[in-house]
Amino acid sequence: MRRALLIADLSGLVCAYAASVLVAGNGDQGGDALGPLGEVIAFALTLPLWVIAAKLYRLYDRTEEQDYSRADDLLAVFNLVTVGTWLTFASARLSGLAHPDVGRVVLFWAGAVVFVALFRAAARARCRRLPSYQQNALIVGAGDVGQFVARKLLERREYGVNVLGFLDANPREREDRLGDLTVLGSPDELSDLVRTLDIDRVVFAFSNDRHEDLLPLLRQLSEFDVQIEIVPRFFDVIGPGVDMHSIHGLPVVGLRAFTLEPSAQLLKRVTDIVVSAVALAVLAPLFAVVALLIKLDSRGPVFFRQVRMGAGNRTFRICKFRTMVEDADERKQDVAHLNGHRRDPRMFKVPEDPRMTRIGRFLRRFSLDELPQLCNVLKGEMSLVGPRPLILEEDEHVWGWARKRLALRPGMTGLWQVLGAGEIPFEEMIKLDYRYVSGWSLKTDLELIVRTIPAVFRERHAY
């Protein structure tokens, strides 16, 4: 994977340079000490520096992270290319070796962002299809947390993690959803199983064994070429806002104060206003087309409005394109047996709901029915990114600490949307919202917005 990403980066930079030359030419070389050939040689000599810079941006160091996405790549690549391009431009001008045309530099910058990001995505996709990408894994701990980790890895086959089983001396009853996964032995057998089963990854997930017994086993793994992952205590509240530091050599995980600073709230609100206003102006023709299609497809209003719970326990009426027949509410009991969350009455989500109209099915498939929520964002009732906007019947089941999810405005997208939308269980969705609110940052919002795009096109049920 690292070699493939390295080749992708170099190929993207070379393509961007070639495209800038083809489109803008070599420009006026008068006064340049390098000349056309010298410029090509100088560019080639900068390529190792680009690789070093990419390494500093950790673009080759996060290949083991399953949730590291194209969105994470795109933001890191954007930063790298922006800094690298304009630093090179300034160096060339100040040294007098070259006087590159600003227009051509902009072409190279834009081309590098696009080509490098695309080539990296292609490299990741190719590597993940290779049999050698699959990693055999063991999970130490077969309790609720260990089985939760196993279920997540089984649901995401694209991660390339082949879970072989658990190690636990006192396992809990196994969930039905785990298929054939079983307990292979006790943690004492870890080293032997790593050797005999050709294990590549070991996940420590809250085994019931004593800390004093597990720590030596963990240290023994240093003899093997395996990836070690440890599910942290209080993982439900550990999000992007955590800070690792030390107290006299003792590692400590620090969580920020839960309340968002006024400056952060202002920054988030200004971003919402600017983006929603621009988006509404740009998407106005699309709104008109969708409205016409809805009216031609079935009887009823264009927009669907429903009361939702907002920030600070204040209700508001959410605005969406209507995707169901006019009497959908009266027919709710007719489809209750199709609820995708029958085991959890707190949520009512019917995959491929028969009450949906033809155009409504298309709108939901690509989340186009959500676009009118931009009006809610502009009015200050919602945010571009935030907790899920719950209906009042669902909100009644949110108590205690979980009410903190309402410290921020509900969002058009969020962790719940990126990680599975309607397929995520209610309890997990609430925890994701809490993590988002407790660790908010503008960087996290930007990443979630970018990650929403592939999530929308990912094959899923139209809820």
Side-chain angles (χ1 to χ4, degrees):
M1 177 70 83
R2 291 187 179 93
R3 287 193 295 269
L5 292 175
L6 173 62
I7 294 171
D9 290 344
L10 294 176
S11 301
L13 292 168
V14 170
C15 286
Y17 178 78
S20 69
V21 172
L22 289 174
V23 174
N26 284 325
D28 182 11
Q29 298 295 330
D32 286 359
L34 293 176
L37 180 60
E39 181 187 295
V40 173
I41 295 173
F43 171 74
L45 292 175
T46 65
L47 292 177
L49 299 178
W50 281 99
V51 173
I52 294 172
K55 178 72 174 175
L56 294 175
Y57 273 89
R58 300 190 63 211
L59 283 169
Y60 308 124
D61 297 339
R62 302 179 65 182
T63 56
E64 304 293 342
E65 298 180 22
Q66 279 77 39
D67 274 346
Y68 191 73
S69 67
R70 283 170 286 186
D72 299 306
D73 250 0
L74 181 58
L75 290 171
V77 166
F78 180 85
N79 288 333
L80 169 68
V81 172
T82 300
V83 173
T85 298
W86 298 106
L87 189 60
T88 303
F89 172 77
S91 300
R93 283 291 183 98
L94 292 173
S95 66
L97 293 175
H99 298 82
D101 178 67
V102 174
R104 187 177 155 205
V105 173
V106 171
L107 281 174
F108 170 80
W109 167 78
V113 171
V114 173
F115 284 125
V116 172
L118 288 177
F119 289 173
R120 288 180 71 89
R124 286 186 182 276
R126 182 181 182 280
C127 286
R128 285 173 174 168
R129 286 196 297 267
L130 297 176
S132 58
Y133 183 76
Q134 295 293 316
Q135 291 185 310
N136 292 331
L138 289 175
I139 298 177
V140 181
D144 291 337
V145 177
Q147 295 189 38
F148 177 76
V149 172
R151 190 171 73 247
K152 287 297 181 183
L153 293 174
L154 290 174
E155 291 172 354
R156 297 291 184 180
R157 295 294 184 182
E158 68 271 18
Y159 287 167
V161 179
N162 179 31
V163 181
L164 299 184
F166 302 96
L167 293 179
D168 201 323
N170 299 289
R172 295 197 60 174
E173 184 179 352
R174 184 172 54 84
E175 295 181 18
D176 295 336
R177 289 177 289 179
L178 295 180
D180 298 330
L181 281 187
T182 186
V183 177
L184 302 178
S186 68
D188 293 337
E189 304 171 68
L190 178 58
S191 296
D192 293 336
L193 288 173
V194 167
R195 185 181 297 107
T196 57
L197 297 180
D198 193 23
I199 297 300
D200 304 292
R201 186 183 294 263
V202 177
V203 182
F204 286 82
F206 292 15
S207 168
N208 289 324
D209 291 75
R210 295 188 310 158
H211 172 81
E212 294 79 5
D213 296 331
L214 286 177
L215 193 57
L217 295 176
L218 195 151
R219 287 170 173 159
Q220 287 176 19
L221 292 179
S222 61
E223 303 173 10
F224 305 94
D225 183 20
V226 295
Q227 174 75 19
I228 301 172
E229 294 173 321
I230 302 173
V231 179
R233 297 286 176 181
F234 310 114
F235 67 93
D236 286 338
V237 297
I238 294 179
V242 300
D243 172 43
M244 286 292 298
H245 56 275
S246 64
I247 300 177
H248 202 64
L250 175 68
V252 176
V253 176
L255 300 180
R256 292 192 318 222
F258 196 90
T259 305
L260 217 60
E261 297 177 356
S263 58
Q265 295 183 26
L266 177 62
L267 178 61
K268 185 172 175 63
R269 181 63 188 138
V270 169
T271 303
D272 286 341
I273 293 173
V274 172
V275 174
S276 61
V278 172
L280 284 170
V282 172
L283 296 174
L286 176 62
F287 275 48
V289 172
V290 172
L292 178 62
L293 292 174
I294 291 174
K295 294 300 290 183
L296 293 175
D297 186 47
S298 62
R299 291 183 305 138
V302 170
F303 297 105
F304 169 75
R305 298 180 184 276
Q306 188 180 49
V307 177
R308 300 289 178 101
M309 182 58 69
N313 293 307
R314 294 186 297 272
T315 59
F316 70 99
R317 297 182 70 85
I318 199 170
C319 183
K320 304 169 70 172
F321 283 123
R322 180 176 62 83
T323 58
M324 291 192 178
V325 294
E326 193 174 16
D327 60 344
D329 285 339
E330 288 76 11
R331 295 169 53 184
K332 185 174 181 178
Q333 291 304 316
D334 297 339
V335 296
H337 64 288
L338 300 176
N339 183 12
H341 295 271
R342 286 192 298 275
R343 296 180 180 177
D344 189 346
R346 294 174 295 184
M347 293 187 74
F348 189 85
K349 300 290 181 182
V350 178
E352 308 301 332
D353 197 319
R355 298 173 297 167
M356 278 192 286
T357 63
R358 287 175 299 174
I359 186 62
R361 197 173 304 277
F362 174 80
L363 294 176
R364 285 205 185 187
R365 173 64 186 83
F366 298 103
S367 298
L368 295 176
D369 61 313
E370 312 279 353
L371 291 179
Q373 294 175 34
L374 289 166
C375 297
N376 294 115
V377 175
L378 191 60
K379 291 167 62 179
E381 298 166 334
M382 292 182 65
S383 178
L384 295 171
V385 184
R388 187 169 190 157
L390 298 181
I391 60 175
L392 300 188
E393 289 83 355
E394 294 172 339
D395 182 71
E396 290 176 355
H397 299 285
V398 181
W399 307 304
W401 60 267
R403 301 299 297 180
K404 288 288 187 180
R405 65 186 295 277
L406 297 174
L408 293 179
R409 296 179 180 89
M412 292 182 63
T413 187
L415 275 171
W416 48 273
Q417 173 74 295
V418 169
L419 298 180
E423 299 172 4
I424 292 181
F426 186 85
E427 198 71 34
E428 185 179 345
M429 180 263 295
I430 295 298
K431 292 177 181 178
L432 288 174
D433 285 343
Y434 184 90
R435 281 182 53 198
Y436 167 79
V437 173
S438 63
W440 180 87
S441 70
L442 183 60
K443 179 177 180 291
T444 300
D445 274 10
L446 294 175
E447 288 176 350
L448 289 173
I449 289 173
V450 176
R451 291 178 65 181
T452 298
I453 298 172
V456 166
F457 288 96
R458 187 170 59 225
E459 187 172 348
R460 58 192 172 89
H461 294 299
Y463 284 100

